[in-house]
């Protein structure tokens, strides 16, 4: 059985990998600066300026090129940062499901239709006052997040068993998948306060 990681939360793997790489590069640069500054690579290197003298001479002799290179690097970093930000803030994909792609025709069900059907099916259970579903992942490997608000005094064990044997079984059957990783969040629905007259 597949792990329900996609169902539980949005993956932040790419952000973690990029942040780790930048962090490792910064740590390596800092460690190298400490090693050189302490003179472990020779006292001559520790007394030299940070920039190589040939590089410093070239920068002084070519101020226009230096500015252009600096602006170009700044723009590249700005574009990369903006792309990273947009990717991080982009809403999570909600896949449409392709149920049939035969010669007779093509049947595609939108994510909204799937989640509406699952929500309505879950709301029909006794003790469930509200339900909200969200389909995530990809069309090849869908996952489901299901939020249920339960009425006071509801038998949670019965709801849990009925969800698996009825609601989720029908969802798996309708989508044509053997497994549908699902994260279920249960909350107690607060009763509306009664008005005293």
């Amino acid at each position: 059985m597949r792990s329900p990681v996609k169902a539980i939360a949005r993956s932040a793997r790419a952000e973690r990998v990029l942040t780790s790489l930048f962090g490792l590069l910064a740590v390596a640069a800092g460690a190298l600066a400490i090693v050189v500054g302490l003179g472990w690579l020779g006292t001559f290197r520790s007394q030299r300026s940070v920039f190589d003298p040939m590089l410093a001479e070239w920068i002084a002799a070519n101020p226009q090129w230096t500015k252009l290179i600096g602006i170009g690097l700044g723009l590249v970093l700005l574009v990369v940062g903006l792309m990273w930000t947009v990717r991080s803030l982009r809403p999570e994909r909600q896949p449409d499901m392709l149920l049939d792609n035969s010669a007779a025709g093509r049947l595609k069900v939108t994510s909204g239709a799937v989640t509406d059907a699952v929500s309505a099916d879950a709301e029909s259970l006794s003790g469930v006052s509200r339900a909200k579903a969200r389909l995530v992942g990809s069309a090849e490997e869908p996952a489901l997040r299901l939020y249920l608000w339960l009425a006071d005094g509801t038998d949670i064990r019965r709801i849990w068993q009925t969800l698996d044997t009825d609601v989720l079984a029908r969802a798996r059957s309708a989508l044509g998948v053997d497994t549908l990783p699902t994260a279920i969040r249960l909350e107690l629905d607060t009763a509306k306060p009664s008005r005293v007259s």
Side-chain angles (χ1 to χ4, degrees), residues 3 121 156 160 195:
S3 171
D121 201 10
I156 295 175
W160 190 262
R195 193 172 189 152

Side-chain angles (χ1 to χ4, degrees), residues 3-197:
S3 171
V5 172
K6 287 181 186 173
I8 295 170
R10 181 178 182 171
S11 175
R13 184 183 315 155
E15 286 82 2
R16 288 185 189 132
V17 168
L18 286 173
T19 304
S20 299
L21 287 176
F22 283 127
L24 288 173
L25 285 174
V27 167
L32 181 63
I34 290 172
V35 167
V36 170
L38 290 175
W40 292 355
L41 299 177
T43 54
F44 174 71
R45 286 187 192 273
S46 65
Q47 294 171 355
R48 285 177 62 186
S49 61
V50 175
F51 288 113
D52 189 89
M54 290 178 62
L55 180 61
E57 286 175 17
W58 186 88
I59 290 172
N62 301 294
Q64 296 288 23
W65 280 106
T66 304
K67 288 178 187 174
L68 288 175
I69 291 171
I71 290 170
L73 285 174
L75 287 175
V76 167
L77 288 174
L78 176 68
V79 169
V80 168
L82 287 175
M83 287 172 51
W84 191 352
T85 302
V86 166
R87 185 191 181 286
S88 298
L89 296 177
R90 183 177 57 211
E92 191 173 21
R93 286 185 54 220
Q94 295 182 9
D96 293 337
M97 300 298 297
L98 184 63
L99 300 183
D100 186 19
N101 194 17
S102 61
R106 182 178 173 147
L107 176 61
K108 192 174 202 176
V109 179
T110 64
S111 172
V114 172
T115 55
D116 287 347
V118 172
S119 297
D121 201 10
E123 281 181 1
S124 68
L125 298 178
S126 175
V128 176
S129 56
R130 288 185 294 152
K132 180 181 172 187
R134 182 178 178 94
L135 193 65
V136 295
S138 64
E140 294 77 26
E141 293 184 352
L144 187 68
R145 291 187 194 136
L146 189 58
Y147 304 90
L148 300 177
W149 287 266
L150 305 178
D152 193 20
T154 302
D155 183 2
I156 295 175
R157 183 174 297 206
R158 180 187 53 78
I159 291 289
W160 190 262
Q161 291 170 347
T162 310
L163 274 175
D164 187 41
T165 57
D166 294 345
V167 176
L168 296 178
R170 282 193 288 267
R172 286 189 297 267
S173 175
L175 295 175
V177 293
D178 295 328
T179 58
L180 182 63
T182 305
I184 301 171
R185 181 174 177 169
L186 302 174
E187 289 190 25
L188 184 62
D189 200 12
T190 55
K192 294 179 181 176
S194 57
R195 193 172 189 152
V196 179
S197 50

